[in-house]
Amino acid sequence: MTRQPSTAARRGMFDQESADPVIVLLTIVPSTYDPQTGVDPPILVSSDPTVRLVDTETELVYGTVSRGENYVYLPFELELATDEEESPPGFSITIDNVSLELTQKIRAMVEPPAISLDIVMASSPDLVELHLDRFTLIEVTID
């Protein structure tokens, strides 16, 4: 059974500004990922710079910690597909890849990765309000 997002989450999804923002967590899982060995781990991206994940003299990385995983903040836009009967469910995503690390990882993938989205609130990043999965990356355009 699918859990319904909380009232606060639904409000946050539609409000222009919120004291408790909605955060989108994007997980890109390479087809070659092996959870037992850790080879080719998933790429974890956050829509929000909630906390500092790394703070050294040479590197400053923001992101979101959810369920023990570090999702790195990379600004992105998410556009849901139309809800037409003849169209398969899907979405379009545009990620600002400021470090080019994501570009290198995507280019190294031989087969399309699996994609999932989790919606969480900034005040409770371990509580998944909405989970969308079973998506496959179909096309990548790199500028």
Side-chain angles (χ1 to χ4, degrees):
M1 180 183 342
T2 303
R3 176 181 160 347
Q4 292 294 318
S6 68
T7 302
R10 289 193 308 269
R11 189 178 310 119
M13 289 179 204
F14 297 104
D15 287 352
Q16 291 290 335
E17 293 184 26
S18 173
D20 189 14
V22 169
I23 298 172
V24 179
L25 303 175
L26 172 68
T27 302
I28 303 169
V29 183
S31 61
T32 53
Y33 172 55
D34 183 349
Q36 292 182 338
T37 64
V39 172
D40 291 334
I43 299 166
L44 307 175
V45 180
S46 172
S47 66
D48 194 81
T50 313
V51 296
R52 287 182 181 178
L53 300 175
V54 177
D55 188 358
T56 67
E57 289 184 22
T58 59
E59 189 175 20
L60 180 60
V61 178
Y62 286 90
T64 303
V65 178
S66 177
R67 296 154 289 154
E69 298 288 345
N70 290 340
Y71 290 78
V72 175
Y73 169 64
L74 290 174
F76 65 85
E77 292 180 23
L78 181 66
E79 182 180 330
L80 298 176
T82 59
D83 202 13
E84 298 175 12
E85 285 186 29
E86 57 274 352
S87 297
F91 58 90
S92 172
I93 189 163
T94 304
I95 302 174
D96 293 344
N97 186 16
V98 293
S99 73
L100 299 180
E101 183 179 341
L102 181 62
T103 302
Q104 294 167 346
K105 289 180 179 180
I106 295 289
R107 283 185 173 160
M109 293 180 187
V110 179
E111 295 181 19
I115 307 287
S116 67
L117 294 171
D118 289 323
I119 308 296
V120 300
M121 304 299 293
S123 64
S124 54
D126 291 330
L127 175 63
V128 176
E129 295 283 350
L130 183 63
H131 176 75
L132 304 170
D133 66 355
R134 299 186 185 162
F135 293 100
T136 303
L137 184 66
I138 295 174
E139 180 182 354
V140 175
T141 304
I142 299 171
D143 289 334

